[in-house]
Short mmCIF file of all heavy atoms in Angstrom, two decimals:
data_model
loop_
_atom_site.label_atom_id
_atom_site.label_comp_id
_atom_site.label_asym_id
_atom_site.label_seq_id
_atom_site.Cartn_x
_atom_site.Cartn_y
_atom_site.Cartn_z
N GLU A 1 0.85 -1.19 0.01
CA GLU A 1 -0.01 0.02 0.03
C GLU A 1 0.83 1.21 0.00
O GLU A 1 0.39 2.28 -0.53
CB GLU A 1 -0.93 -0.01 1.21
CG GLU A 1 -1.96 -1.06 1.17
CD GLU A 1 -2.71 -1.23 2.44
OE1 GLU A 1 -2.46 -0.57 3.39
OE2 GLU A 1 -3.62 -2.14 2.49
N ASN A 2 2.07 1.27 0.57
CA ASN A 2 2.88 2.36 0.64
C ASN A 2 4.03 2.41 -0.53
O ASN A 2 4.84 3.30 -0.52
CB ASN A 2 3.71 2.30 1.97
CG ASN A 2 2.78 2.81 3.01
OD1 ASN A 2 2.33 3.97 3.03
ND2 ASN A 2 2.57 2.01 4.09
N GLY A 3 3.81 1.59 -1.40
CA GLY A 3 4.70 1.62 -2.67
C GLY A 3 6.14 1.22 -2.49
O GLY A 3 7.06 1.67 -3.17
N THR A 4 6.41 0.37 -1.50
CA THR A 4 7.66 -0.25 -1.24
C THR A 4 8.31 -0.89 -2.44
O THR A 4 7.48 -1.64 -3.05
CB THR A 4 7.71 -1.17 0.01
OG1 THR A 4 7.30 -0.34 1.12
CG2 THR A 4 9.08 -1.63 0.30
N LYS A 5 9.56 -0.72 -2.78
CA LYS A 5 10.18 -1.35 -3.85
C LYS A 5 10.35 -2.88 -3.72
O LYS A 5 10.07 -3.71 -4.53
CB LYS A 5 11.55 -0.73 -4.10
CG LYS A 5 12.27 -1.31 -5.36
CD LYS A 5 13.66 -0.80 -5.43
CE LYS A 5 13.70 0.80 -5.51
NZ LYS A 5 15.07 1.25 -5.75
N LYS A 6 10.71 -3.18 -2.36
CA LYS A 6 11.04 -4.62 -2.20
C LYS A 6 10.77 -4.98 -0.69
O LYS A 6 11.07 -4.22 0.21
CB LYS A 6 12.55 -4.88 -2.47
CG LYS A 6 13.13 -6.23 -2.30
CD LYS A 6 12.67 -7.16 -3.37
CE LYS A 6 13.31 -8.54 -3.36
NZ LYS A 6 14.78 -8.45 -3.60
N TYR A 7 10.26 -6.24 -0.54
CA TYR A 7 10.02 -6.71 0.91
C TYR A 7 10.81 -8.03 1.07
O TYR A 7 10.85 -8.84 0.22
CB TYR A 7 8.51 -6.96 1.08
CG TYR A 7 8.13 -7.51 2.47
CD1 TYR A 7 7.64 -6.61 3.40
CD2 TYR A 7 8.30 -8.80 2.90
CE1 TYR A 7 7.36 -7.06 4.69
CE2 TYR A 7 7.84 -9.24 4.10
CZ TYR A 7 7.40 -8.38 4.98
OH TYR A 7 7.01 -8.77 6.26
N PHE A 8 11.56 -8.03 2.14
CA PHE A 8 12.40 -9.21 2.54
C PHE A 8 11.94 -9.70 3.77
O PHE A 8 11.69 -8.95 4.70
CB PHE A 8 13.85 -8.89 2.53
CG PHE A 8 14.72 -9.93 3.12
CD1 PHE A 8 15.11 -11.03 2.46
CD2 PHE A 8 15.05 -9.92 4.53
CE1 PHE A 8 15.95 -11.99 3.03
CE2 PHE A 8 15.73 -10.92 5.05
CZ PHE A 8 16.20 -11.95 4.34
N CYS A 9 11.88 -11.04 3.97
CA CYS A 9 11.63 -11.64 5.24
C CYS A 9 12.43 -12.93 5.41
O CYS A 9 12.89 -13.57 4.51
CB CYS A 9 10.15 -11.93 5.55
SG CYS A 9 9.34 -13.09 4.31
N VAL A 10 12.72 -13.27 6.67
CA VAL A 10 13.53 -14.43 7.00
C VAL A 10 12.63 -15.72 7.11
O VAL A 10 11.65 -15.78 7.95
CB VAL A 10 14.32 -14.22 8.26
CG1 VAL A 10 14.92 -15.50 8.79
CG2 VAL A 10 15.41 -13.19 8.11
N SER A 11 13.03 -16.77 6.46
CA SER A 11 12.35 -18.12 6.68
C SER A 11 13.38 -18.86 7.57
O SER A 11 14.14 -18.30 8.37
CB SER A 11 12.14 -18.76 5.29
OG SER A 11 11.48 -19.96 5.55
N THR A 12 13.53 -20.10 7.28
CA THR A 12 14.44 -20.97 8.12
C THR A 12 14.80 -22.20 7.26
O THR A 12 13.90 -22.66 6.46
CB THR A 12 13.92 -21.28 9.49
OG1 THR A 12 14.68 -22.23 10.20
CG2 THR A 12 12.43 -21.96 9.29
N ASP A 13 15.97 -22.77 7.59
CA ASP A 13 16.25 -24.18 6.97
C ASP A 13 15.20 -25.14 7.48
O ASP A 13 14.97 -26.16 6.82
CB ASP A 13 17.66 -24.56 7.44
CG ASP A 13 17.84 -24.66 8.97
OD1 ASP A 13 17.70 -23.62 9.51
OD2 ASP A 13 17.99 -25.75 9.48
N LYS A 14 14.56 -24.90 8.59
CA LYS A 14 13.58 -25.83 9.16
C LYS A 14 12.26 -25.91 8.33
O LYS A 14 11.39 -26.70 8.60
CB LYS A 14 13.36 -25.56 10.66
CG LYS A 14 14.53 -25.69 11.52
CD LYS A 14 14.29 -25.28 13.00
CE LYS A 14 15.52 -25.47 13.86
NZ LYS A 14 16.68 -24.61 13.33
N ALA A 15 12.21 -24.91 7.42
CA ALA A 15 10.96 -24.84 6.52
C ALA A 15 11.06 -25.91 5.45
O ALA A 15 10.03 -26.27 4.69
CB ALA A 15 10.73 -23.54 5.94
N ALA A 16 12.24 -26.41 5.22
CA ALA A 16 12.43 -27.47 4.18
C ALA A 16 12.11 -28.79 4.70
O ALA A 16 12.83 -29.21 5.74
CB ALA A 16 13.93 -27.40 3.67
N ASN A 17 10.98 -29.42 4.33
CA ASN A 17 10.55 -30.65 4.84
C ASN A 17 10.49 -30.53 6.48
O ASN A 17 11.11 -31.26 7.22
CB ASN A 17 11.52 -31.85 4.45
CG ASN A 17 11.50 -32.13 3.00
OD1 ASN A 17 10.51 -32.16 2.38
ND2 ASN A 17 12.69 -32.34 2.47
N PRO A 18 9.59 -29.65 6.90
CA PRO A 18 9.59 -29.45 8.37
C PRO A 18 9.11 -30.55 9.26
O PRO A 18 8.37 -31.41 8.82
CB PRO A 18 8.47 -28.27 8.45
CG PRO A 18 7.65 -28.48 7.23
CD PRO A 18 8.67 -28.95 6.19
N VAL A 19 9.77 -30.69 10.37
CA VAL A 19 9.35 -31.66 11.33
C VAL A 19 8.89 -31.12 12.74
O VAL A 19 8.49 -31.79 13.54
CB VAL A 19 10.60 -32.66 11.64
CG1 VAL A 19 11.01 -33.36 10.41
CG2 VAL A 19 11.69 -31.96 12.38
N ASN A 20 8.92 -29.81 12.75
CA ASN A 20 8.51 -29.08 14.05
C ASN A 20 7.61 -27.93 13.63
O ASN A 20 7.50 -27.49 12.45
CB ASN A 20 9.62 -28.61 14.84
CG ASN A 20 10.59 -27.73 14.13
OD1 ASN A 20 10.22 -26.67 13.48
ND2 ASN A 20 11.92 -28.24 14.01
N MET A 21 6.85 -27.42 14.64
CA MET A 21 5.81 -26.40 14.33
C MET A 21 6.39 -25.02 13.94
O MET A 21 5.91 -24.35 13.15
CB MET A 21 4.95 -26.24 15.65
CG MET A 21 4.15 -27.50 15.98
SD MET A 21 2.98 -28.05 14.74
CE MET A 21 1.67 -26.96 15.05
N MET A 22 7.60 -24.75 14.48
CA MET A 22 8.39 -23.50 14.04
C MET A 22 8.66 -23.56 12.58
O MET A 22 8.36 -22.62 11.88
CB MET A 22 9.59 -23.37 14.92
CG MET A 22 10.16 -21.95 14.82
SD MET A 22 11.06 -21.56 13.24
CE MET A 22 12.57 -22.46 13.59
N GLY A 23 9.27 -24.67 12.11
CA GLY A 23 9.62 -24.79 10.77
C GLY A 23 8.36 -24.84 9.83
O GLY A 23 8.35 -24.15 8.87
N ALA A 24 7.29 -25.43 10.36
CA ALA A 24 6.10 -25.40 9.56
C ALA A 24 5.46 -24.07 9.44
O ALA A 24 4.96 -23.67 8.42
CB ALA A 24 5.19 -26.50 10.18
N SER A 25 5.49 -23.32 10.65
CA SER A 25 4.95 -21.92 10.60
C SER A 25 5.62 -21.07 9.53
O SER A 25 5.05 -20.34 8.86
CB SER A 25 5.00 -21.26 11.95
OG SER A 25 6.33 -20.88 12.28
N LYS A 26 6.99 -21.20 9.37
CA LYS A 26 7.74 -20.52 8.41
C LYS A 26 7.45 -20.98 6.95
O LYS A 26 7.39 -20.19 6.00
CB LYS A 26 9.19 -20.62 8.65
CG LYS A 26 9.71 -19.79 9.90
CD LYS A 26 9.58 -18.30 9.62
CE LYS A 26 10.32 -17.47 10.66
NZ LYS A 26 10.34 -16.02 10.25
#
């Protein structure tokens, strides 16, 4: 809405084939 050029956020290695809720949330 504010016309930002780029948005970045951190995921996690635990998001690849997750086995825990933290990784799954990411």
Side-chain angles (χ1 to χ4, degrees):
E1 293 169 358
N2 282 301
T4 298
K5 181 188 300 183
K6 180 75 171 296
Y7 183 95
F8 167 86
C9 57
V10 169
S11 184
T12 173
D13 58 295
K14 297 176 179 66
N17 296 317
V19 302
N20 53 60
M21 300 296 280
M22 193 284 285
S25 75
K26 285 292 192 176

